[in-house]
């Protein structure tokens, strides 16, 4: 399909609209993760609707010493990939178009959630992100906007902004896309050398280790529920030659629900090992949080949670996360 490149909001507003407009916001350097977002947007918008991909490297969300100047800018390739994936329009405004009066004096503040994890590591990042998302929502006027779940805290804050400030737009999160080796797709992956990439795989391996520990615990707890946690139950299992299983099931049944501490420990072990590699992985944070506010969950937590990690390998900072469900037997994500 033919994809139109537009540079101004006026050009975008002049387009005739029939069905729903779905917007995918990016900073460019598009990859298969973005392509998945665009294809999902195409499905949501339908044949009669319109898919708009924004490409804008937002200076407000880069802190001092971060990679604003070297962030990859590949607009021609971005337009081509967007078109192949189903976009009707690539909206690539200049900094002056988005911020005509210079840096805005009035900005969106992320609040307490924006000061945790990524916000603590990158002060002001989320204020800048929300400000540009608000601007781009006004400039593109979508019915629905799609964001990747790899940036889980960003997605949670956008949802909160839209709800708290009454934006008339639907927000859709799209699952993280990974390469065959498990590394979450990111525009920053291209910075990694071969050796650095091997170290970087520890991020996803740590998350998977936490997920697998959680799944094993939930399976044991589900099994333990089949018979009341009692000596009679243990004796019955032991009579079937399952004394080890009986002991494990009894221990898990009487432990704290879901075992968040064990999930963290399993993930931490992988990251600790990666810290001894060459080059080493330098951990920023590992957190198991409530996605409603990104505070750490306690041992009695039930519901949806996010296991998140951020680390540096060489000069490249990477983030990743996976969702987990606590307190629902057999429902580990």
């Amino acid at each position: 399909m033919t994809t139109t490149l537009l540079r101004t909001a006026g050009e975008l507003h002049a387009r005739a609209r029939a069905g729903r407009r779905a917007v995918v916001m990016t900073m460019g350097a598009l990859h298969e993760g973005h392509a998945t977002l665009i294809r999902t947007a195409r499905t949501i918008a339908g044949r009669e609707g319109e898919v708009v991909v924004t490409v804008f490297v937002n200076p407000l969300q880069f802190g001092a010493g971060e990679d604003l100047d070297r962030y990859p800018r590949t607009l021609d390739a971005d337009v081509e990939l967007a078109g192949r994936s189903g976009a009707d329009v690539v909206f690539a405004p200049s900094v002056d178009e988005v911020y005509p009066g210079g840096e805005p004096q009035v900005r969106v503040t992320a609040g307490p959630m924006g000061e945790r994890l990524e916000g603590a590591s990158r002060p002001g990042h989320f204020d800048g992100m929300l400000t540009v998302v608000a601007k781009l929502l006004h400039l593109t006027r979508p019915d629905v906007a799609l964001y990747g779940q790899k940036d889980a805290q960003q997605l949670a804050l956008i949802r909160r902004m839209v709800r708290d400030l009454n934006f008339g737009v639907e927000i859709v999160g799209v699952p993280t896309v990974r390469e065959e080796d498990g590394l979450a797709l990111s525009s920053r992956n291209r910075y990694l050398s071969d050796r650095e990439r091997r170290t970087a795989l520890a991020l996803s391996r740590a998350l998977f280790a936490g997920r697998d520990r959680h799944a094993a615990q939930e399976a044991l707890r589900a099994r333990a529920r089949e018979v009341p946690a009692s000596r009679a139950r243990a004796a019955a299992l032991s009579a079937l030659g399952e004394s080890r299983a009986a002991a494990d099931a009894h221990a898990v049944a009487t432990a704290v629900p879901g075992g968040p501490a064990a999930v963290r420990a399993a993930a931490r072990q992988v990251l600790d090992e990666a810290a001894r590699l060459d080059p080493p992985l330098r951990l920023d944070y590992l957190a198991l949080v409530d996605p409603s506010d990104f505070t750490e969950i306690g041992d009695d937590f039930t519901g949806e949670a996010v296991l998140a990690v951020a680390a540096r390998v060489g000069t490249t900072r990477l983030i990743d996360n996976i969702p987990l469900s606590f307190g629902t037997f057999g429902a580990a994500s």
Side-chain angles (χ1 to χ4, degrees):
M1 67 185 302
T2 301
T3 302
T4 302
L5 174 62
L6 301 179
R7 297 286 193 170
T8 70
E11 293 172 319
L12 184 59
H13 297 166
R15 289 178 62 88
R17 294 179 61 169
R20 301 180 82 196
R21 174 177 285 174
V23 165
V24 174
M25 295 183 185
T26 83
M27 293 205 300
L30 302 189
H31 50 63
E32 181 57 29
H34 296 110
T36 299
L37 285 165
I38 297 166
R39 288 192 292 267
T40 305
R42 181 78 272 163
T43 299
I44 291 173
R47 294 181 61 184
E48 300 301 319
E50 182 180 57
V51 175
V52 177
V53 176
T54 69
V55 175
F56 181 67
V57 181
N58 177 35
L60 295 190
Q61 65 194 74
F62 288 80
E66 294 189 335
D67 57 352
L68 173 61
D69 291 337
R70 74 166 185 147
Y71 194 88
R73 291 163 172 82
T74 57
L75 184 57
D76 290 343
D78 293 345
V79 173
E80 182 179 350
L81 184 147
R84 290 198 313 269
S85 304
D88 300 290
V89 173
V90 170
F91 176 52
S94 66
V95 173
D96 288 340
E97 177 72 12
V98 177
Y99 303 120
E103 289 195 6
Q105 295 184 39
V106 176
R107 307 187 187 196
V108 178
T109 300
M113 194 196 316
E115 297 172 358
R116 299 170 186 140
L117 300 188
E118 284 297 290
S121 296
R122 306 174 65 189
H125 166 71
F126 284 127
D127 290 358
M129 179 277 294
L130 289 178
T131 298
V132 79
V133 168
K135 293 273 288 186
L136 289 172
L137 287 174
H138 290 313
L139 292 172
T140 59
R141 302 174 182 174
D143 300 289
V144 57
L146 297 88
Y147 303 89
Q149 291 178 357
K150 185 179 80 70
D151 297 298
Q153 193 172 3
Q154 169 180 285
L155 174 60
L157 282 163
I158 291 171
R159 291 188 194 275
R160 189 69 191 227
M161 177 183 73
V162 165
R163 180 170 69 250
D164 286 356
L165 301 184
N166 299 98
F167 280 69
V169 60
E170 177 187 356
I171 303 299
V172 173
V174 178
T176 300
V177 179
R178 299 183 180 278
E179 301 194 37
E180 290 185 5
D181 57 11
L183 189 66
L185 284 174
S186 169
S187 300
R188 291 185 169 92
N189 289 353
R190 67 186 66 196
Y191 298 155
L192 298 169
S193 68
D194 290 342
R195 292 171 62 200
E196 289 172 341
R197 184 185 175 90
R198 286 193 290 271
T199 296
L201 292 176
L203 273 77
S204 57
R205 287 203 307 267
L207 297 178
F208 299 158
R211 177 197 62 192
D212 293 346
R213 176 68 61 84
H214 175 58
Q217 287 183 315
E218 291 290 280
L220 282 172
R221 289 182 58 79
R223 183 176 181 179
R225 278 169 58 99
E226 294 175 1
V227 182
S230 65
R231 289 183 179 180
R233 181 187 66 61
L237 288 174
S238 295
L240 296 175
E242 299 185 17
S243 57
R244 175 65 181 275
D248 287 348
H250 181 77
V252 174
T254 56
V256 293
V263 172
R264 293 185 183 96
R268 173 74 66 169
Q269 181 177 352
V270 175
L271 297 169
D272 287 346
E273 292 171 357
R276 297 189 288 272
L277 296 177
D278 182 20
L281 181 141
R282 301 193 305 270
L283 183 64
D284 189 344
Y285 61 76
L286 171 69
L288 185 55
V289 299
D290 182 338
S292 69
D293 59 9
F294 273 72
T295 58
E296 289 279 353
I297 65 171
D299 287 337
D300 59 348
F301 179 85
T302 59
E304 300 303 313
V306 172
L307 181 61
V309 63
R312 288 188 181 275
V313 181
T315 60
T316 303
R317 186 176 185 276
L318 300 171
I319 63 172
D320 201 353
N321 72 85
I322 56 171
L324 296 174
S325 181
F326 285 83
T328 304
F329 298 105
S333 299

